[in-house]
Amino acid sequence: MSDYKTELKEVWCKGCGNYGILGVLARRVFPKLQIPNHQICIFSGIGCSPRITGYINTYGFNFLHGRAIAFAQGAKLAKPELTVLAIGGDGDFFSIGAGHLPHAVRRNINITCIMANNFVYALTKGQTSPTTPFSEMGEHDPRSFDENPPVDPILDMVAYSVSTKASFIAQGIATDPNHLSRLIEEGIKHRGFSFIGVLTACPTYRGELFNVIREKVTYLDEGKLVELPESSEEKPWIHDPSNIDLAFKLAKVPILERPYLGVFFRGKEKL
Ligand code: SF4
């Protein structure tokens, strides 16, 4: 246990990916960066992942559904010396809170936004979220609900953040804490708005889907060729996170075919 973990008992289900994010922040990132507890503010909305504010021994604010980013921006503007994070899920940030995200990005306020993407509204018992993969009615594969398959196209969080030109964009997975720690450390150190998507398991409502995605994850290495799925008509290119056009190309690869992990884009920092 580190000084950054409270004694409050977690109420997440067994095997929930949120434990991975909690462990990375409380036992790796904050101790390594040596940020004093009272200099960290974590903002969250409603959902399973937003409960994290209760388990981390820093300032934590659990707000209305979807409003974490709005409050996080206010805190950073009022107290620029604080390390400010906004943590939530795909439903929280990409549905009811989606209006706040592009404006935080264009202001490029120095906060770190961590989105736990488990492809479902989990707290309210498994409804379709904006990132739930689309399936045709009648498809019976791990991506579909047998009875009520989602009918709307997926809102891809990485593609969205690339299109709004967030100044640091990365994606990790909760089951690889070493890699995820490095991404979050870099996001916190980056002076500007950082968006870090984390692929997380919800074994209660989307366990099979996470297993499918986990098997396909592909790491992005700077200076190395990007591995493309067989369906891609692009020629492989050298991964260069400073190039927004290449980040767009990466973001166009469907997440179910090739879920990339690593830094997609690293823009100019604020002076
Ligand atoms: Fe985690 Fe899903 Fe359980 Fe929520 S419902 S605590 S996301 S496993």
Side-chain angles (χ1 to χ4, degrees):
M1 301 295 255
S2 78
D3 290 341
Y4 294 92
K5 178 73 185 70
T6 64
E7 290 180 2
L8 199 62
K9 183 165 168 32
E10 303 89 359
V11 294
W12 294 317
C13 312
K14 191 176 171 192
C16 176
N18 291 318
Y19 288 104
I21 300 174
L22 173 62
V24 160
L25 287 170
R27 299 199 176 92
R28 292 167 181 258
V29 174
F30 293 147
K32 182 163 177 209
L33 295 180
Q34 293 278 299
I35 309 170
N37 304 56
H38 70 279
Q39 293 283 2
I40 302 170
C41 266
I42 303 179
F43 294 82
S44 66
I46 300 297
C48 292
S49 52
R51 291 180 184 273
I52 205 164
T53 47
Y55 309 137
I56 299 186
N57 187 18
T58 61
Y59 283 109
F61 299 86
N62 196 202
F63 283 112
L64 298 170
H65 202 190
R67 307 298 170 226
I69 289 179
F71 286 98
Q73 289 176 84
K76 187 68 186 179
L77 288 172
K79 290 266 183 191
E81 68 274 22
L82 297 179
T83 297
V84 177
L85 288 83
I87 301 180
D90 39 290
D92 195 30
F93 281 156
F94 258 36
S95 192
I96 194 165
H100 296 294
L101 203 47
H103 301 290
V105 167
R106 75 188 171 90
R107 292 176 191 130
N108 200 18
I109 292 175
N110 185 11
I111 61 179
T112 303
C113 175
I114 298 175
M115 182 193 282
N117 184 11
N118 58 14
F119 308 94
V120 67
Y121 277 103
L123 186 74
T124 46
K125 307 218 178 312
Q127 296 87 353
T128 299
S129 89
T131 64
T132 306
F134 166 82
S135 292
E136 294 294 341
M137 185 73 80
E139 272 187 34
H140 293 288
D141 68 16
R143 294 171 295 169
S144 66
F145 293 152
D146 287 350
E147 292 177 3
N148 297 295
V151 292
D152 297 322
I154 189 170
L155 180 55
D156 183 90
M157 60 181 189
V158 172
Y160 182 84
S161 44
V162 171
S163 68
T164 53
K165 299 195 176 133
S167 72
F168 179 86
I169 303 162
Q171 182 162 257
I173 190 165
T175 48
D176 186 346
N178 288 331
H179 183 258
L180 183 58
S181 304
R182 289 198 295 275
L183 295 181
I184 296 179
E185 276 169 40
E186 187 175 347
I188 289 175
K189 285 182 191 163
H190 182 86
R191 293 189 305 278
F193 187 86
S194 303
F195 179 90
I196 301 167
V198 186
L199 304 173
T200 57
C202 172
T204 303
Y205 296 110
R206 281 291 184 287
E208 286 177 73
L209 172 63
F210 182 76
N211 292 337
V212 169
I213 287 175
R214 189 180 177 182
E215 275 176 20
K216 293 184 178 178
V217 293
T218 304
Y219 289 85
L220 295 167
D221 280 322
E222 291 184 48
K224 301 251 175 79
L225 272 182
V226 170
E227 263 184 62
L228 293 168
E230 283 176 12
S231 62
S232 175
E233 293 177 355
E234 298 274 1
K235 286 189 182 150
W237 62 90
I238 302 286
H239 181 46
D240 175 5
S242 67
N243 186 326
I244 190 79
D245 294 328
L246 295 180
F248 269 115
K249 281 170 79 171
L250 273 177
K252 279 200 297 192
V253 178
I255 191 168
L256 290 181
E257 289 187 39
R258 192 66 75 169
Y260 289 115
L261 302 182
V263 178
F264 281 63
F265 181 64
R266 187 188 294 116
K268 281 190 186 156
E269 297 188 61
K270 287 180 130 174
L271 294 175

